[in-house]
Amino acid sequence: MTALDLSRTVGVVGSGTMGQGIAQVALVAGHPVRLYDAVPGRAAEAAAAIGARLDRLVERDRMTAADRDAARGRLLPAAELAEFADCALVVEAVLERLEAKQELFRDLEGIVADDCLLATNTSSLSVTAIGGGLRSASRLVGLHFFNPAPLLPLVEVVSGFATDVTSATRAYETARSWGKTPVACADTPGFIVNRIARPFYAEAFAVHEAQAADPATIDAVLRESGGFRMGAFELTDLIGQDVNESVTHSVWQAFFQDVRFTPSLAQRRLVESGRLGRKTGHGWYDYEDGAERPEPHTAEPARPPAYVVAEGTLGPAAELLAMIREAGIQVREEDEDHGTRLVLPSGGQLALADGQTSVEFRDVVYFDLALDYRRATRIALSAGHDTLPQTLTEAVGLFQALGKKVSVIGDVPGMIVARTVARIVDLAHDAVAKGVATEEDIDTAMRLGVNYPLGPFEWSRRLGRDFAYDLLDDLHLRDPSGRYAPSLALYRHAYATEKREGAS
């Protein structure tokens, strides 16, 4: 099944930001577009707004004046749904209320032809439930665009329980013909992006709620060590705390209050207080005129150790050994097959975050995971009550000698980046095992939908087959609520692969 012919009309219901964006995408691709809104006059206002954006594209040399004029001629505000009778595709972008969407599609079913494809842009509701009241739900598919739709390339093409392959394929190919990058997924809570992205926010909030670090420090570590475009606190302020919490709550409820998706109490308090982020002038951060952005905690300069003793290769942090040598610090190596620790002159140890806590050992400092230890500009360290001050000083000095800023946080298992990435990897493996999407589509969705530096499976391959599993297993022992229990899919990936290789 191929994409819709450009001569066929696309209808868009809802003239808000998302509706306008979808209409513009179809219009620029070359389709005639009809735009409808239940509020009289809104569709005409939206058409004028789209025209103004096309003018700006011409001003920026991204569109010719002739193409703009032709597009304007194809954009038709509709006064009533009856004008959608000749549409080959209708996309709804109305309020996220199940009853409203169900009623709209029932009305459309009595207007459009039998071969008209129906699509919902829902981000949190079940496509299956939306089509539940239709005579023929086989032609209903999810087309989840990301805001702003004209700029962001990703479109999740969601097949409901009753969606037939022909409809899903036509929707997929149409999105691709519009210059988008479609990914196919099953109708599961949160689809791909909103399901797998939950730990990025949840773990940052959990570290903050544990009094281990302030928002500015956590955000800095996620950006400067983890390689994420924005930290969780600044990103939710941009999205809107109410919007972000609503999606989290929706996914949590849809998974029957699965503890892995439990919303944050701290975020709930922000929403209750009306501190919704940038749009209200205050969220995790203060955006009022003259407000100063808080600085992340950064350790004072410290003297580096003269040498370190490496037990093993340091696993995902192996690059540190070469960097330490390049900084003029002697590395003495001991023969360990799977060591992830450095012994400092004080006798204390420096270990990669593994889901355990410093307080369990006599003298240990943990360091966090980094996307790329050479490019990282900041590293987080954590120490327990029994960690000797000299050990922490040597650990701080070591990373400063490598050109890194150092943030010392509280003694939380898995730290910040490591626990976040491990949980994202786990949810991704679980999603593939349950038929939500392919590994390739999940990686594509997370890179393009939320700008992750790597897709979850790219992370998993870089870290090694057992890193995420072992870290979460250790976290689960320390927090047996089930929040960190590694999935069976991740267990199979880590342990079964190891057993097969051992047998060979």
Side-chain angles (χ1 to χ4, degrees):
M1 179 62 67
T2 57
L4 292 177
D5 190 274
L6 293 180
S7 65
R8 302 297 304 275
T9 301
V10 173
V12 178
V13 182
S15 65
T17 301
M18 186 58 74
Q20 289 182 35
I22 295 170
Q24 181 178 329
V25 169
L27 193 66
V28 171
H31 289 276
V33 174
R34 283 199 175 87
L35 182 60
Y36 172 79
D37 196 287
V39 178
R42 287 274 179 86
E45 293 174 2
I50 293 171
R53 285 198 291 275
L54 297 181
D55 288 339
R56 289 194 288 273
L57 291 178
V58 173
E59 293 169 1
R60 297 169 185 168
D61 293 325
R62 296 180 181 176
M63 188 180 214
T64 67
D67 286 343
R68 174 201 59 196
D69 295 342
R72 279 180 165 172
R74 295 193 302 269
L75 179 57
L76 304 172
E80 53 187 26
L81 281 178
E83 297 178 46
F84 281 49
D86 66 338
C87 288
L89 165 65
V90 178
V91 185
E92 69 80 15
V94 301
L95 294 175
E96 285 287 276
R97 291 206 300 263
L98 178 61
E99 296 78 8
K101 293 179 186 290
Q102 289 175 327
E103 181 180 358
L104 171 63
F105 282 115
R106 283 195 296 267
D107 291 342
L108 284 168
E109 199 173 33
I111 294 170
V112 300
D114 291 342
D115 64 348
C116 177
L117 188 63
L118 301 177
T120 172
N121 183 58
T122 185
S123 62
S124 60
L125 299 177
S126 164
V127 173
T128 301
I130 291 171
L134 296 179
R135 294 191 306 273
S136 177
S138 62
R139 60 172 164 171
L140 178 69
V141 64
L143 274 180
H144 180 214
F145 290 77
F146 289 74
N147 192 31
L151 297 180
L152 295 186
L154 184 68
V155 177
E156 292 178 319
V157 181
V158 186
S159 293
F161 183 78
T163 305
D164 64 29
V165 174
T166 300
S167 298
T169 303
R170 170 157 282 186
Y172 185 99
E173 294 300 333
T174 297
R176 186 159 64 176
S177 74
W178 292 355
K180 296 301 180 183
T181 303
V183 292
C185 64
D187 184 22
T188 185
F191 309 142
I192 298 174
V193 173
N194 280 329
R195 172 180 179 151
I196 296 175
R198 292 351 294 161
F200 178 74
Y201 313 109
E203 294 312 306
F205 298 163
V207 171
H208 174 55
E209 289 173 345
Q211 302 293 298
D214 60 276
T217 299
I218 296 170
D219 278 352
V221 172
L222 286 169
R223 288 193 314 269
E224 300 172 39
S225 184
F228 293 96
R229 185 77 59 85
M230 299 178 73
F233 297 91
E234 57 190 344
L235 181 55
T236 53
D237 268 357
L238 179 63
I239 295 169
Q241 298 302 331
D242 53 338
V243 174
N244 182 261
E245 191 210 29
S246 176
V247 173
T248 299
H249 195 271
S250 175
V251 172
W252 176 61
Q253 289 284 21
F255 275 114
F256 307 105
Q257 299 185 358
D258 186 330
V259 68
R260 294 177 301 166
F261 302 100
T262 302
S264 162
L265 180 59
Q267 188 179 41
R268 174 94 290 263
R269 292 292 179 258
L270 273 186
V271 174
E272 289 175 338
S273 67
R275 295 187 170 191
L276 307 182
R278 289 181 178 272
K279 62 187 177 183
T280 62
H282 207 301
W284 295 108
Y285 300 109
D286 186 350
Y287 299 95
E288 299 292 346
D289 290 342
E292 292 186 8
R293 182 69 174 263
E295 293 293 325
H297 169 76
T298 302
E300 294 294 326
R303 184 186 300 275
Y307 69 90
V308 295
V309 179
E311 295 183 348
T313 64
L314 295 188
E319 183 67 15
L320 285 175
L321 295 180
M323 294 169 60
I324 293 170
R325 290 189 181 97
E326 292 164 12
I329 299 172
Q330 183 184 5
V331 177
R332 304 173 184 172
E333 296 191 52
E334 291 189 355
D335 187 17
E336 293 281 346
D337 290 337
H338 301 289
T340 56
R341 296 173 186 264
L342 296 173
V343 180
L344 299 165
S346 64
Q349 294 182 327
L350 182 61
L352 176 62
D354 59 6
Q356 301 182 84
T357 59
S358 295
V359 75
E360 299 171 52
F361 305 96
R362 183 185 66 82
D363 194 15
V364 169
V365 172
Y366 277 104
F367 66 93
D368 208 351
L369 182 67
L371 171 67
D372 183 329
Y373 282 98
R374 285 195 177 274
R375 295 185 179 182
T377 58
R378 182 180 299 271
I379 295 293
L381 302 180
S382 68
H385 296 298
D386 294 331
T387 304
L388 296 178
Q390 181 60 24
T391 299
L392 180 57
T393 297
E394 289 175 346
V396 169
L398 174 65
F399 280 103
Q400 288 175 340
L402 304 184
K404 316 301 181 188
K405 296 177 182 177
V406 176
S407 293
V408 179
I409 69 170
D411 186 18
V412 286
M415 302 191 68
I416 298 171
V417 179
R419 69 196 283 175
T420 298
V421 170
R423 287 208 59 214
I424 289 170
V425 167
D426 181 48
L427 289 185
H429 278 278
D430 185 53
V432 169
K434 292 177 178 174
V436 174
T438 65
E439 291 186 9
E440 181 181 2
D441 276 356
I442 287 175
D443 276 354
T444 298
M446 301 312 291
R447 287 196 314 269
L448 299 183
V450 278
N451 289 311
Y452 283 4
L454 293 175
F457 293 97
E458 292 172 317
W459 265 113
S460 184
R461 288 188 289 272
R462 179 177 291 198
L463 295 173
R465 65 173 178 263
D466 54 0
F467 178 84
Y469 176 82
D470 288 347
L471 186 144
L472 291 176
D473 195 41
D474 278 336
L475 265 168
H476 178 53
L477 289 174
R478 288 149 185 82
D479 178 0
S481 65
R483 177 188 180 104
Y484 299 104
S487 66
L488 178 59
L490 190 63
Y491 171 80
R492 285 171 173 156
H493 171 73
Y495 185 73
T497 302
E498 182 179 359
K499 294 293 284 186
R500 283 199 302 273
E501 291 180 354
S504 64

